[in-house]
């Protein structure tokens, strides 16, 4: 019996692994252009970090965290998201990170004990970016432009930006009360979870994916109608900059955050028709988080996270094919293997992808493999050629074959390499 992987945690195989690497490189470059620097925080954090920040009443803390006591009895949690760790690290290393604004991005695995399904895993990955130290609406617009640009650059089409404002401590309580009253009038139509949520965190009822709840709350009061003047002005400024920048968006007053520390701007990039897993990237402003984490300093902040698996799912899959060798070295008998092996290592050192059969297949069999693998050239080490100090050199595409000196063969391979179109 072999050992299966943990439920909801996947191996990332080629060629997907190569797509991951390429996507990460693209994200790093894009982030760097926008003046963001990478931060790498530990996968494990003290449970308290998420209990305080993500909020005891969210799905994540209520039922999705991988929490355990380590060998010294300390409660640790595998990070379910990247923002709280980044803020913790920022507070701990404030001086080292220089003047405001501070721009940080991250790339890495997150862990949530959810029911695995398409686009929903227990170990998944996020690219994220956070902009700290300014509450200007231009910061919100910068983050949205960054994200919009990245999604566009990677060729993802059909993504829509939805934005909302969640208000702030001045106007949110009144909206909560309004929403809560509305929800009590619909109580009998809500699911069990939402009946509980209604009191402690009514916003989350709007986020429930159950059909019944969605219908029952279709005409719920809108957060946008309850904004105080400063929050309204901020929201309208963000919309104005987006329009100026030619970034299309729609308002979605039902969009809320599962996380408690968000303020004002909330946004998602969604793909219609993807069911409940239709959000590729999500984010918002979270000016309240630093204080929740015990910092003396108020740190205005806005950021986003992209779900990498969902993103790749939307970009589409390809079937795996090992990279085609540039040259396949065919040996007429095992006595040529040591020389072919030396060639292989030399050529690889020169950046030329080289394949050799180690397993004693016939010359015909080796040619077949070279063809199947898509090799551009075949070099044959055979008795007769060896007698004359040469090798047979075949250009597979042209179907042309000739005998060359070894030096000339190497020259051809390396010269061809220079002109190879990538
Ligand atoms: P959802 O409503 O889909 O559960 P969420 O609100 O829990 O999402 P966030 O905490 O905002 O998600 O995380 C940002 C992004 O990370 C999501 O938009 C999604 O693309 C991705 N994501 C979240 N949870 C998972 C998961 N379990 N598996 C794969 N991707 C996920
Ligand atoms: Mg979730």
């Amino acid at each position: 019996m072999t050992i299966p992987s943990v439920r909801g945690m996947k191996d990332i195989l080629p060629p997907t692994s190569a797509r991951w690497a390429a996507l990460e490189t693209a994200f790093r470059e894009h982030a760097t252009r926008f003046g963001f620097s990478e931060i790498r925080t530990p996968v494990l954090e003290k449970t308290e970090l998420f209990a305080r920040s993500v909020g005891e009443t969210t799905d994540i803390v209520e039922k999705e965290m991988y929490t355990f006591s380590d060998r010294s009895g300390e409660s640790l949690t595998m990070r379910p998201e990247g923002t709280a760790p980044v803020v913790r690290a920022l507070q701990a290393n404030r001086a080292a990170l220089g003047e405001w604004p501070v721009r940080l991005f991250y790339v890495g695995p997150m862990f949530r004990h959810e029911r695995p399904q398409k686009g929903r895993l227990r170990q998944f990955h996020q690219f994220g970016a956070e902009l700290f130290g300014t509450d200007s609406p231009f910061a919100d617009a910068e983050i949205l432009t960054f994200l919009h640009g990245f999604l566009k650059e990677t060729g993802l089409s059909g993504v829509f930006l939805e934005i909302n404002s969640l208000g702030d401590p001045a106007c949110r309580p009144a909206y909560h009360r309004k929403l809560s009253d509305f929800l009590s009038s619909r109580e009998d139509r809500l699911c069990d979870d939402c009946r509980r949520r209604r009191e402690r965190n009514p916003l989350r009822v709007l986020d429930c994916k159950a059909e019944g709840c969605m219908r029952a709350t279709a005409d719920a009061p809108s957060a946008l109608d309850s904004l105080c003047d400063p929050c309204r002005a901020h929201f309208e400024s963000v919309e104005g900059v987006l329009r100026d920048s030619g970034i299309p968006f729609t308002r979605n007053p039902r969009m809320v955050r599962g996380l408690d520390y968000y303020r004002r701007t909330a946004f998602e990039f969604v793909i219609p028709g993807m069911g409940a897993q239709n959000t590729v990237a999500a984010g918002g402003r979270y000016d309240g988080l630093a204080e929740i984490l015990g910092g003396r300093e108020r740190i205005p902040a806005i950021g986003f996270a992209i779900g990498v698996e969902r993103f790749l799912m939307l970009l589409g899959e390809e079937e795996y094919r090992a990279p085609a060798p540039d040259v396949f070295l065919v040996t007429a008998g095992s006595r040529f293997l040591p020389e072919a092996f030396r060639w292989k290592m030399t050529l690889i050192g020169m950046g030329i992808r080289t394949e050799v059969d180690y397993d004693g297949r016939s010359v015909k069999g080796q040619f077949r493999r070279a063809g199947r693998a898509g090799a551009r050239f075949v070099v044959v080490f055979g008795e007769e050629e060896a007698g004359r100090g040469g090798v047979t050199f075949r250009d597979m595409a042209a179907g042309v074959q000739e005998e060359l000196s070894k030096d000339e063969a190497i020259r051809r391979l390396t010269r061809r390499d220079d002109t190879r179109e990538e």
Side-chain angles (χ1 to χ4, degrees), residues 206-284:
L206 297 182
D207 198 27
C208 183
K209 310 232 153 88
E211 278 281 322
C213 294
M214 286 185 354
R215 268 199 305 273
T217 60
D219 56 341
S222 154
L224 293 175
D225 295 334
S226 301
L227 295 181
C228 57
D229 289 343
C231 284
R232 170 169 314 285
H234 184 95
F235 188 62
E236 285 169 0
S237 300
V238 175
E239 289 190 323
V241 185
L242 289 176
R243 274 190 212 103
D244 273 357
S245 316
I247 296 176
F249 64 89
T250 53
R251 287 183 175 187
N252 177 1
R254 293 178 60 88
M255 185 202 313
V256 302
R257 289 275 80 99
L259 313 181
D260 288 345
Y261 47 70
Y262 282 96
R263 301 274 160 82
R264 294 188 170 170
T265 312
F267 58 85
E268 290 183 4
F269 281 84
V270 298
I271 304 254
M274 290 288 296
Q277 277 70 249
N278 67 348
T279 307
V280 191

Side-chain angles (χ1 to χ4, degrees), residues 24-57:
E24 278 183 29
T25 303
F27 184 69
R28 286 199 166 85
E29 282 172 2
H30 192 77
T32 307
R33 266 202 302 279
F34 274 78
F36 286 71
S37 308
E38 182 168 9
I39 180 165
R40 301 191 191 211
T41 65
V43 165
L44 282 180
E45 296 278 359
K46 289 177 190 291
T47 299
E48 193 192 352
L49 176 68
F50 301 110
R52 269 213 251 165
S53 64
V54 176
E56 306 273 5
T57 64

Side-chain angles (χ1 to χ4, degrees), residues 59-60 64 112 114 120 124 207 209 310:
D59 268 350
I60 294 180
E64 295 176 0
R112 295 185 196 175
E114 303 197 66
R120 199 170 287 285
F124 64 100
D207 198 27
K209 310 232 153 88
R310 283 190 206 172

Side-chain angles (χ1 to χ4, degrees), residues 26-38 101-105 128-132 138-153 245 247 304:
F27 184 69
R28 286 199 166 85
E29 282 172 2
H30 192 77
T32 307
R33 266 202 302 279
F34 274 78
F36 286 71
S37 308
E38 182 168 9
V102 171
R103 292 180 171 85
L104 298 171
F105 76 89
E130 321 281 0
L131 201 176
F132 297 104
F138 284 97
D140 305 40
E142 175 183 315
I143 280 286
L144 285 164
T145 310
F146 172 149
L147 185 50
H148 175 261
F150 178 68
L151 297 178
K152 206 164 143 189
E153 175 185 303
S245 316
I247 296 176
F304 68 79

